[in-house]
Amino acid sequence: MNTKDLLANAPQLQPVSMHIVNRSDARLGETTGMGQTLTRQASLRGSALPSIGFDGLLNTGIYTKEDAVKELWFRESSLLVRAGLYDKSLGCSPSFQQEAGCADVLAYVEANGLSSQVDWDGVGLDFLRHSNTDNLGECIDYLASRYVALEKQLERSLSGSELEAQKSQLEEIFERGKQNLTGGYIQRLGDALCFSQEDRDHLEAGFKGLIAGRIEVYRKVQENLTVNLSGKDQWLLNCDKYMASQLRQASDSISSSASAGGITLNDLCWAGKIGADYQTFYSHVSHGRGGKEEIIAMDVAMAEMKVETLIQRGVLSGHMEKLLSSSRQARQQQLLDVSDQRREAWRATSLPTAGVVKDADRNRFQEVFGTVLDVFAQNGGDALAAVRKGVDFILRTARDTGVRYHYEDYDSSWYEKDVGKWKSFLADLGSGAAFGMDIKA
Protein backbone atom coordinates (compact mmCIF):
# COMPACT_ATOMS: atom_id res chain seq x y z
CA MET A 1 0.00 0.00 0.00
CA ASN A 2 1.55 3.34 -1.04
CA THR A 3 1.29 6.74 0.60
CA LYS A 4 -1.49 7.88 -1.73
CA ASP A 5 -3.61 4.83 -0.86
CA LEU A 6 -3.01 5.37 2.83
CA LEU A 7 -4.11 8.97 2.57
CA ALA A 8 -7.22 7.96 0.70
CA ASN A 9 -8.06 5.42 3.41
CA ALA A 10 -7.53 7.89 6.22
CA PRO A 11 -9.74 10.93 5.60
CA GLN A 12 -9.29 12.10 9.19
CA LEU A 13 -5.60 12.55 8.42
CA GLN A 14 -6.01 14.69 5.32
CA PRO A 15 -3.33 17.36 4.94
CA VAL A 16 -3.97 20.52 6.85
CA SER A 17 -1.54 23.43 7.17
CA MET A 18 2.13 22.69 6.66
CA HIS A 19 3.48 22.15 10.14
CA ILE A 20 5.62 19.40 11.55
CA VAL A 21 3.99 16.83 13.81
CA ASN A 22 7.16 15.15 15.03
CA ARG A 23 8.29 17.51 17.77
CA SER A 24 10.56 15.27 19.80
CA ASP A 25 13.59 17.29 18.73
CA ALA A 26 12.17 20.64 19.84
CA ARG A 27 14.78 23.00 21.19
CA LEU A 28 12.66 25.47 23.07
CA GLY A 29 13.99 28.67 24.56
CA GLU A 30 14.82 28.76 28.23
CA THR A 31 14.72 31.83 30.39
CA THR A 32 17.22 31.44 33.18
CA GLY A 33 18.46 33.45 36.10
CA MET A 34 22.05 34.29 36.89
CA GLY A 35 22.75 31.12 38.86
CA GLN A 36 21.65 28.92 35.98
CA THR A 37 23.57 31.09 33.56
CA LEU A 38 26.77 30.35 35.48
CA THR A 39 26.32 26.61 35.66
CA ARG A 40 24.50 25.79 32.42
CA GLN A 41 25.44 28.89 30.42
CA ALA A 42 22.08 29.58 28.85
CA SER A 43 23.96 31.22 26.10
CA LEU A 44 23.72 34.31 23.95
CA ARG A 45 25.91 32.50 21.45
CA GLY A 46 24.30 31.10 18.33
CA SER A 47 22.67 27.72 18.02
CA ALA A 48 23.40 25.64 14.95
CA LEU A 49 19.83 25.21 13.73
CA PRO A 50 19.84 24.32 10.03
CA SER A 51 17.54 26.47 7.93
CA ILE A 52 15.84 23.79 5.81
CA GLY A 53 13.68 21.13 6.37
CA PHE A 54 10.99 18.76 6.23
CA ASP A 55 12.67 16.99 9.15
CA GLY A 56 11.21 19.29 11.77
CA LEU A 57 13.80 22.07 11.69
CA LEU A 58 13.14 25.67 10.86
CA ASN A 59 13.34 27.39 7.51
CA THR A 60 13.92 31.13 7.79
CA GLY A 61 15.06 31.61 4.19
CA ILE A 62 13.44 30.63 0.89
CA TYR A 63 10.79 27.94 1.33
CA THR A 64 9.98 26.22 -1.95
CA LYS A 65 7.21 24.01 -3.27
CA GLU A 66 9.60 21.06 -2.90
CA ASP A 67 10.18 21.94 0.77
CA ALA A 68 6.43 22.04 1.31
CA VAL A 69 5.93 18.62 -0.27
CA LYS A 70 8.75 17.07 1.75
CA GLU A 71 7.39 18.53 4.97
CA LEU A 72 3.87 17.36 4.24
CA TRP A 73 5.15 13.87 3.40
CA PHE A 74 7.10 13.74 6.65
CA ARG A 75 4.11 14.94 8.62
CA GLU A 76 1.67 12.49 7.05
CA SER A 77 4.00 9.50 7.34
CA SER A 78 4.45 10.27 11.04
CA LEU A 79 0.68 10.51 11.53
CA LEU A 80 0.06 7.25 9.71
CA VAL A 81 2.59 5.38 11.81
CA ARG A 82 1.08 6.77 15.00
CA ALA A 83 -2.43 5.90 13.86
CA GLY A 84 -1.37 2.32 13.05
CA LEU A 85 -2.35 2.74 9.39
CA TYR A 86 1.08 2.24 7.91
CA ASP A 87 1.62 -1.18 6.35
CA LYS A 88 4.61 -2.54 8.28
CA SER A 89 4.84 -5.52 5.93
CA LEU A 90 6.66 -3.19 3.54
CA GLY A 91 9.68 -3.89 5.68
CA CYS A 92 10.89 -0.35 6.26
CA SER A 93 9.70 2.88 7.75
CA PRO A 94 8.21 5.68 5.61
CA SER A 95 11.43 7.68 6.03
CA PHE A 96 13.14 5.26 3.63
CA GLN A 97 10.55 5.92 0.93
CA GLN A 98 10.84 9.68 0.65
CA GLU A 99 11.00 9.97 -3.13
CA ALA A 100 7.98 7.77 -3.82
CA GLY A 101 6.10 9.15 -0.83
CA CYS A 102 6.63 12.76 -1.91
CA ALA A 103 5.39 11.94 -5.40
CA ASP A 104 2.22 10.45 -3.93
CA VAL A 105 1.68 13.43 -1.63
CA LEU A 106 2.18 15.89 -4.48
CA ALA A 107 -0.32 14.05 -6.66
CA TYR A 108 -2.81 14.04 -3.81
CA VAL A 109 -2.65 17.76 -3.02
CA GLU A 110 -2.68 18.68 -6.70
CA ALA A 111 -5.90 16.73 -7.09
CA ASN A 112 -7.57 17.47 -3.75
CA GLY A 113 -6.02 20.71 -2.54
CA LEU A 114 -4.72 21.55 0.91
CA SER A 115 -7.08 22.33 3.75
CA SER A 116 -7.03 25.89 5.06
CA GLN A 117 -7.34 24.57 8.62
CA VAL A 118 -4.36 25.69 10.70
CA ASP A 119 -2.35 23.36 12.93
CA TRP A 120 -2.00 25.81 15.80
CA ASP A 121 0.19 23.48 17.85
CA GLY A 122 2.67 23.34 14.99
CA VAL A 123 2.59 27.11 14.54
CA GLY A 124 3.15 27.63 18.24
CA LEU A 125 6.13 25.30 18.23
CA ASP A 126 7.69 27.08 15.25
CA PHE A 127 7.29 30.45 16.98
CA LEU A 128 8.84 29.14 20.19
CA ARG A 129 11.74 27.61 18.34
CA HIS A 130 12.70 31.00 17.03
CA SER A 131 14.12 31.94 20.40
CA ASN A 132 17.04 29.72 19.32
CA THR A 133 17.93 31.36 16.04
CA ASP A 134 21.47 32.50 15.37
CA ASN A 135 20.38 35.55 13.39
CA LEU A 136 18.15 38.06 15.12
CA GLY A 137 17.20 39.88 11.92
CA GLU A 138 16.10 36.66 10.23
CA CYS A 139 14.18 35.71 13.34
CA ILE A 140 12.22 38.96 13.36
CA ASP A 141 11.45 38.70 9.65
CA TYR A 142 10.38 35.08 9.99
CA LEU A 143 7.96 35.72 12.85
CA ALA A 144 6.47 38.80 11.20
CA SER A 145 6.06 37.21 7.77
CA ARG A 146 4.51 34.02 9.19
CA TYR A 147 2.08 36.12 11.21
CA VAL A 148 0.99 38.13 8.16
CA ALA A 149 0.75 35.02 5.94
CA LEU A 150 -1.46 33.27 8.50
CA GLU A 151 -3.57 36.38 8.95
CA LYS A 152 -4.17 36.52 5.19
CA GLN A 153 -4.95 32.80 5.00
CA LEU A 154 -7.61 33.15 7.68
CA GLU A 155 -9.15 36.20 6.02
CA ARG A 156 -9.25 34.42 2.66
CA SER A 157 -10.97 31.28 3.94
CA LEU A 158 -13.12 32.37 6.90
CA SER A 159 -15.60 35.09 7.87
CA GLY A 160 -17.69 36.31 10.75
CA SER A 161 -17.33 34.91 14.24
CA GLU A 162 -15.23 31.96 13.06
CA LEU A 163 -12.70 34.36 11.55
CA GLU A 164 -12.54 36.40 14.72
CA ALA A 165 -12.07 33.28 16.85
CA GLN A 166 -9.21 32.03 14.66
CA LYS A 167 -7.57 35.46 14.61
CA SER A 168 -7.72 35.53 18.39
CA GLN A 169 -5.94 32.18 18.47
CA LEU A 170 -3.30 33.45 16.07
CA GLU A 171 -2.77 36.49 18.27
CA GLU A 172 -2.46 34.39 21.42
CA ILE A 173 0.07 31.98 19.91
CA PHE A 174 2.05 34.76 18.29
CA GLU A 175 2.22 36.77 21.52
CA ARG A 176 3.45 33.70 23.37
CA GLY A 177 6.21 33.10 20.85
CA LYS A 178 7.15 36.77 20.73
CA GLN A 179 7.34 36.97 24.51
CA ASN A 180 9.47 33.84 24.65
CA LEU A 181 11.92 35.42 22.22
CA THR A 182 12.03 38.98 23.52
CA GLY A 183 11.66 38.23 27.23
CA GLY A 184 14.17 35.39 27.20
CA TYR A 185 16.73 37.29 25.17
CA ILE A 186 16.52 40.46 27.22
CA GLN A 187 16.68 38.58 30.51
CA ARG A 188 19.86 36.77 29.46
CA LEU A 189 21.29 40.02 28.14
CA GLY A 190 20.44 41.86 31.34
CA ASP A 191 21.85 39.11 33.54
CA ALA A 192 25.14 39.05 31.65
CA LEU A 193 25.59 42.82 31.41
CA CYS A 194 23.97 43.87 34.71
CA PHE A 195 21.17 46.00 33.29
CA SER A 196 18.54 47.35 35.67
CA GLN A 197 14.94 46.15 35.43
CA GLU A 198 13.90 49.54 34.06
CA ASP A 199 16.50 49.28 31.31
CA ARG A 200 15.46 45.72 30.53
CA ASP A 201 11.83 46.78 30.19
CA HIS A 202 12.85 49.56 27.82
CA LEU A 203 14.94 47.19 25.68
CA GLU A 204 12.17 44.60 25.52
CA ALA A 205 9.64 47.22 24.46
CA GLY A 206 11.99 48.32 21.69
CA PHE A 207 12.53 44.72 20.60
CA LYS A 208 8.78 44.15 20.38
CA GLY A 209 8.48 47.41 18.49
CA LEU A 210 10.91 46.14 15.85
CA ILE A 211 8.73 43.06 15.33
CA ALA A 212 5.57 45.18 15.13
CA GLY A 213 7.24 47.40 12.54
CA ARG A 214 8.06 44.43 10.34
CA ILE A 215 4.48 43.19 10.55
CA GLU A 216 3.32 46.50 9.11
CA VAL A 217 5.95 46.25 6.36
CA TYR A 218 4.75 42.78 5.37
CA ARG A 219 1.11 43.82 5.48
CA LYS A 220 1.89 46.50 2.89
CA VAL A 221 3.82 43.98 0.80
CA GLN A 222 0.86 41.59 1.07
CA GLU A 223 -1.48 44.20 -0.43
CA ASN A 224 0.44 44.19 -3.70
CA LEU A 225 1.78 40.64 -3.68
CA THR A 226 1.02 38.50 -6.70
CA VAL A 227 1.99 34.83 -6.47
CA ASN A 228 1.79 33.20 -9.88
CA LEU A 229 0.61 29.64 -9.36
CA SER A 230 -0.65 27.20 -11.95
CA GLY A 231 -4.05 25.60 -11.41
CA LYS A 232 -2.61 22.45 -9.89
CA ASP A 233 -0.38 24.49 -7.54
CA GLN A 234 -3.21 26.47 -5.97
CA TRP A 235 -2.87 24.32 -2.84
CA LEU A 236 0.21 26.38 -1.95
CA LEU A 237 -2.05 29.32 -1.09
CA ASN A 238 -2.96 27.36 2.06
CA CYS A 239 0.67 26.65 2.91
CA ASP A 240 1.47 29.59 5.16
CA LYS A 241 5.21 28.80 5.29
CA TYR A 242 5.36 29.04 1.50
CA MET A 243 3.36 32.27 1.43
CA ALA A 244 5.48 33.76 4.22
CA SER A 245 8.57 32.97 2.16
CA GLN A 246 6.98 34.78 -0.80
CA LEU A 247 6.52 37.83 1.42
CA ARG A 248 10.16 37.77 2.52
CA GLN A 249 11.35 37.44 -1.07
CA ALA A 250 9.22 40.41 -2.10
CA SER A 251 10.68 42.66 0.60
CA ASP A 252 14.10 43.80 1.73
CA SER A 253 15.35 42.20 4.95
CA ILE A 254 15.14 44.21 8.14
CA SER A 255 17.86 46.85 8.33
CA SER A 256 20.46 46.79 11.08
CA SER A 257 19.56 50.44 11.69
CA ALA A 258 15.85 49.69 12.15
CA SER A 259 14.70 51.27 15.39
CA ALA A 260 11.79 51.36 17.80
CA GLY A 261 11.59 53.30 21.04
CA GLY A 262 15.15 54.55 20.58
CA ILE A 263 16.50 50.97 20.34
CA THR A 264 18.04 49.66 17.12
CA LEU A 265 18.58 46.15 15.84
CA ASN A 266 22.31 46.93 15.96
CA ASP A 267 21.95 47.71 19.68
CA LEU A 268 20.39 44.36 20.47
CA CYS A 269 22.79 42.36 18.35
CA TRP A 270 26.08 43.96 19.40
CA ALA A 271 25.01 43.98 23.05
CA GLY A 272 24.30 40.28 22.59
CA LYS A 273 27.84 39.72 21.37
CA ILE A 274 29.31 41.53 24.38
CA GLY A 275 26.92 39.67 26.66
CA ALA A 276 28.07 36.37 25.16
CA ASP A 277 31.66 37.29 26.03
CA TYR A 278 30.67 37.89 29.63
CA GLN A 279 28.71 34.64 29.78
CA THR A 280 31.92 32.86 28.79
CA PHE A 281 33.82 34.69 31.54
CA TYR A 282 31.20 33.76 34.15
CA SER A 283 31.30 30.14 33.06
CA HIS A 284 35.09 29.97 33.15
CA VAL A 285 35.55 31.46 36.59
CA SER A 286 32.64 29.52 38.08
CA HIS A 287 34.31 26.31 36.94
CA GLY A 288 37.77 27.32 38.08
CA ARG A 289 39.18 28.13 34.64
CA GLY A 290 41.12 31.35 34.18
CA GLY A 291 40.41 32.42 37.75
CA LYS A 292 43.51 34.54 38.34
CA GLU A 293 42.81 38.24 38.63
CA GLU A 294 45.18 39.05 35.76
CA ILE A 295 43.51 36.65 33.35
CA ILE A 296 40.06 37.94 34.29
CA ALA A 297 41.24 41.51 33.82
CA MET A 298 42.69 40.82 30.37
CA ASP A 299 39.52 39.05 29.21
CA VAL A 300 37.30 41.84 30.49
CA ALA A 301 39.55 44.48 28.93
CA MET A 302 39.17 42.84 25.53
CA ALA A 303 35.37 42.90 25.84
CA GLU A 304 35.29 46.51 27.00
CA MET A 305 37.61 47.62 24.19
CA LYS A 306 34.99 46.23 21.82
CA VAL A 307 32.39 48.39 23.57
CA GLU A 308 34.61 51.47 23.25
CA THR A 309 35.19 50.77 19.56
CA LEU A 310 31.47 50.42 18.90
CA ILE A 311 30.91 53.75 20.64
CA GLN A 312 33.75 55.50 18.81
CA ARG A 313 32.47 54.34 15.42
CA GLY A 314 28.89 55.39 16.12
CA VAL A 315 27.49 51.89 15.69
CA LEU A 316 25.21 52.06 18.73
CA SER A 317 22.38 54.39 19.63
CA GLY A 318 22.97 56.96 22.34
CA HIS A 319 20.80 54.96 24.72
CA MET A 320 22.82 51.78 24.29
CA GLU A 321 26.11 53.65 24.56
CA LYS A 322 25.05 55.06 27.91
CA LEU A 323 23.66 51.73 29.08
CA LEU A 324 26.84 49.74 28.34
CA SER A 325 29.08 52.40 29.82
CA SER A 326 27.10 52.92 33.02
CA SER A 327 26.82 49.19 33.77
CA ARG A 328 30.50 48.38 33.21
CA GLN A 329 31.60 48.50 36.83
CA ALA A 330 28.63 46.43 37.99
CA ARG A 331 29.36 43.55 35.61
CA GLN A 332 33.04 43.58 36.53
CA GLN A 333 32.18 43.34 40.21
CA GLN A 334 29.67 40.60 39.46
CA LEU A 335 32.37 38.61 37.68
CA LEU A 336 34.75 38.98 40.61
CA ASP A 337 31.94 37.96 42.97
CA VAL A 338 31.51 34.76 40.96
CA SER A 339 35.26 34.17 41.22
CA ASP A 340 35.05 34.60 45.00
CA GLN A 341 32.17 32.12 45.18
CA ARG A 342 34.34 29.58 43.43
CA ARG A 343 37.23 30.29 45.79
CA GLU A 344 34.91 29.84 48.76
CA ALA A 345 33.94 26.45 47.39
CA TRP A 346 37.60 25.55 47.12
CA ARG A 347 38.19 26.57 50.72
CA ALA A 348 35.28 24.44 51.89
CA THR A 349 36.51 21.30 50.15
CA SER A 350 40.31 21.54 50.03
CA LEU A 351 42.71 19.89 52.46
CA PRO A 352 44.61 22.05 54.98
CA THR A 353 47.85 21.23 53.17
CA ALA A 354 46.54 22.82 49.97
CA GLY A 355 47.37 26.29 51.24
CA VAL A 356 45.30 29.43 51.69
CA VAL A 357 42.85 30.33 48.93
CA LYS A 358 42.25 34.07 49.04
CA ASP A 359 39.45 36.08 47.54
CA ALA A 360 40.11 37.83 44.25
CA ASP A 361 42.46 40.78 44.57
CA ARG A 362 40.24 43.53 43.19
CA ASN A 363 42.99 46.11 43.31
CA ARG A 364 45.18 43.87 41.17
CA PHE A 365 42.33 43.37 38.74
CA GLN A 366 41.83 47.12 38.46
CA GLU A 367 45.56 47.74 37.94
CA VAL A 368 45.73 45.40 34.96
CA PHE A 369 42.36 46.43 33.49
CA GLY A 370 43.15 50.13 33.90
CA THR A 371 46.55 49.74 32.26
CA VAL A 372 45.07 48.09 29.17
CA LEU A 373 42.22 50.59 28.77
CA ASP A 374 44.56 53.56 29.29
CA VAL A 375 46.92 52.34 26.56
CA PHE A 376 43.92 51.67 24.29
CA ALA A 377 42.74 55.27 24.71
CA GLN A 378 46.21 56.77 24.35
CA ASN A 379 46.97 54.87 21.15
CA GLY A 380 43.87 55.79 19.21
CA GLY A 381 42.00 52.57 19.87
CA ASP A 382 44.87 50.15 19.14
CA ALA A 383 43.61 47.13 21.04
CA LEU A 384 46.53 44.86 20.22
CA ALA A 385 49.06 47.37 21.49
CA ALA A 386 46.98 47.61 24.65
CA VAL A 387 46.97 43.82 25.07
CA ARG A 388 50.74 43.64 24.62
CA LYS A 389 51.19 46.40 27.19
CA GLY A 390 48.91 44.56 29.58
CA VAL A 391 50.94 41.36 29.29
CA ASP A 392 54.17 43.30 29.79
CA PHE A 393 52.70 45.00 32.86
CA ILE A 394 51.65 41.68 34.37
CA LEU A 395 55.09 40.14 33.84
CA ARG A 396 56.99 43.16 35.12
CA THR A 397 54.94 43.63 38.27
CA ALA A 398 55.00 39.89 38.97
CA ARG A 399 58.80 39.90 38.82
CA ASP A 400 58.98 43.00 41.02
CA THR A 401 57.16 41.10 43.77
CA GLY A 402 59.17 37.92 43.31
CA VAL A 403 56.19 35.98 41.98
CA ARG A 404 56.69 33.72 38.97
CA TYR A 405 53.69 33.47 36.69
CA HIS A 406 53.13 30.96 33.95
CA TYR A 407 52.53 33.87 31.58
CA GLU A 408 56.30 33.90 30.97
CA ASP A 409 55.97 30.54 29.25
CA TYR A 410 53.28 31.43 26.77
CA ASP A 411 52.72 35.17 26.61
CA SER A 412 53.29 35.05 22.82
CA SER A 413 50.52 32.52 22.22
CA TRP A 414 48.26 34.45 24.57
CA TYR A 415 48.83 37.58 22.53
CA GLU A 416 48.19 35.77 19.25
CA LYS A 417 44.94 34.37 20.62
CA ASP A 418 43.74 37.91 21.30
CA VAL A 419 44.94 39.03 17.86
CA GLY A 420 42.62 36.45 16.31
CA LYS A 421 39.68 37.52 18.46
CA TRP A 422 40.19 41.19 17.67
CA LYS A 423 40.53 40.64 13.93
CA SER A 424 37.32 38.61 13.95
CA PHE A 425 35.53 41.42 15.78
CA LEU A 426 36.79 44.04 13.30
CA ALA A 427 35.78 41.83 10.38
CA ASP A 428 32.22 41.62 11.74
CA LEU A 429 32.19 45.33 12.33
CA GLY A 430 33.55 46.18 8.89
CA SER A 431 31.17 43.88 7.05
CA GLY A 432 28.14 45.29 8.85
CA ALA A 433 27.33 41.80 10.13
CA ALA A 434 25.00 43.29 12.67
CA PHE A 435 22.56 40.51 13.21
CA GLY A 436 24.42 37.24 13.04
CA MET A 437 25.05 37.82 16.68
CA ASP A 438 25.66 34.72 18.75
CA ILE A 439 22.14 34.21 20.04
CA LYS A 440 20.56 31.14 21.49
CA ALA A 441 18.65 30.16 24.59
Side-chain angles (χ1 to χ4, degrees), residues 7 26 99 251 298 351 400 404:
L7 287 169
E99 184 174 351
S251 173
M298 291 297 292
L351 296 173
D400 290 345
R404 180 179 177 82

Side-chain angles (χ1 to χ4, degrees), residues 16-274:
V16 285
S17 188
M18 303 296 296
H19 305 291
I20 296 302
V21 171
N22 183 1
R23 301 169 190 139
S24 61
D25 64 343
R27 298 162 70 178
L28 303 182
E30 296 174 357
T31 302
T32 62
M34 197 65 219
Q36 290 170 298
T37 300
L38 300 182
T39 57
R40 298 184 61 232
Q41 198 179 0
S43 179
L44 288 154
R45 298 202 180 277
S47 66
L49 280 180
S51 61
I52 273 286
F54 63 91
D55 57 353
L57 298 176
L58 296 178
N59 185 324
T60 58
I62 296 175
Y63 187 89
T64 66
K65 172 184 173 181
E66 289 72 25
D67 295 323
V69 172
K70 288 177 182 178
E71 187 168 334
L72 181 56
W73 162 78
F74 181 85
R75 178 183 182 278
E76 293 301 335
S77 62
S78 298
L79 279 170
L80 293 169
V81 169
R82 294 181 185 189
L85 296 173
Y86 181 71
D87 188 351
K88 295 181 181 180
S89 66
L90 294 175
C92 59
S93 72
S95 61
F96 291 98
Q97 302 177 33
Q98 177 184 338
E99 184 174 351
C102 285
D104 288 342
V105 166
L106 178 59
Y108 183 88
V109 293
E110 286 179 345
N112 298 280
L114 189 65
S115 171
S116 61
Q117 179 184 345
V118 178
D119 173 14
W120 290 117
D121 287 342
V123 173
L125 179 60
D126 281 351
F127 285 169
L128 287 176
R129 279 176 169 174
H130 269 79
S131 62
N132 281 336
T133 187
D134 61 356
N135 188 308
L136 201 57
E138 280 188 3
C139 181
I140 291 171
D141 277 341
Y142 179 88
L143 289 175
S145 62
R146 280 291 297 278
Y147 177 88
V148 172
L150 283 161
E151 183 180 55
K152 181 64 174 180
Q153 180 175 316
L154 294 175
E155 291 172 350
R156 188 174 56 248
S157 58
L158 301 173
S159 61
S161 60
E162 187 177 4
L163 172 61
E164 293 307 312
Q166 289 290 287
K167 276 192 169 184
S168 294
Q169 191 157 9
L170 169 60
E171 197 66 33
E172 178 183 345
I173 290 173
F174 177 73
E175 286 299 318
R176 191 184 309 143
K178 181 173 68 173
Q179 182 60 40
N180 191 70
L181 169 64
T182 61
Y185 184 86
I186 297 303
Q187 179 171 329
R188 294 189 297 276
L189 195 65
D191 287 345
L193 298 176
C194 293
F195 294 159
S196 70
Q197 188 58 53
E198 181 180 358
D199 289 324
R200 297 182 196 210
D201 292 344
H202 183 71
L203 290 175
E204 187 173 351
F207 196 166
K208 290 180 177 178
L210 290 173
I211 297 173
R214 290 305 288 176
I215 287 175
E216 292 307 311
V217 168
Y218 284 122
R219 279 173 172 161
K220 291 180 180 178
V221 172
Q222 180 72 74
E223 291 175 1
N224 301 307
L225 180 66
T226 300
V227 181
N228 296 316
L229 297 171
S230 65
K232 64 181 181 179
D233 286 340
Q234 291 298 306
W235 62 274
L236 285 167
L237 291 173
N238 286 335
C239 174
D240 66 274
K241 286 187 179 180
Y242 179 85
M243 297 304 293
S245 177
Q246 296 297 307
L247 287 172
R248 294 194 296 274
Q249 292 177 67
S251 173
D252 292 333
S253 299
I254 186 172
S255 169
S256 61
S257 61
S259 65
I263 302 301
T264 69
L265 181 58
N266 256 338
D267 287 341
L268 295 174
C269 293
W270 283 110
K273 202 164 187 70
I274 303 302

Side-chain angles (χ1 to χ4, degrees), residues 298 305 371-373 375-376 382-391:
M298 291 297 292
M305 286 189 291
T371 296
V372 175
L373 266 291
V375 174
F376 178 77
D382 188 340
L384 301 183
V387 169
R388 172 58 70 187
K389 194 66 163 180
V391 174

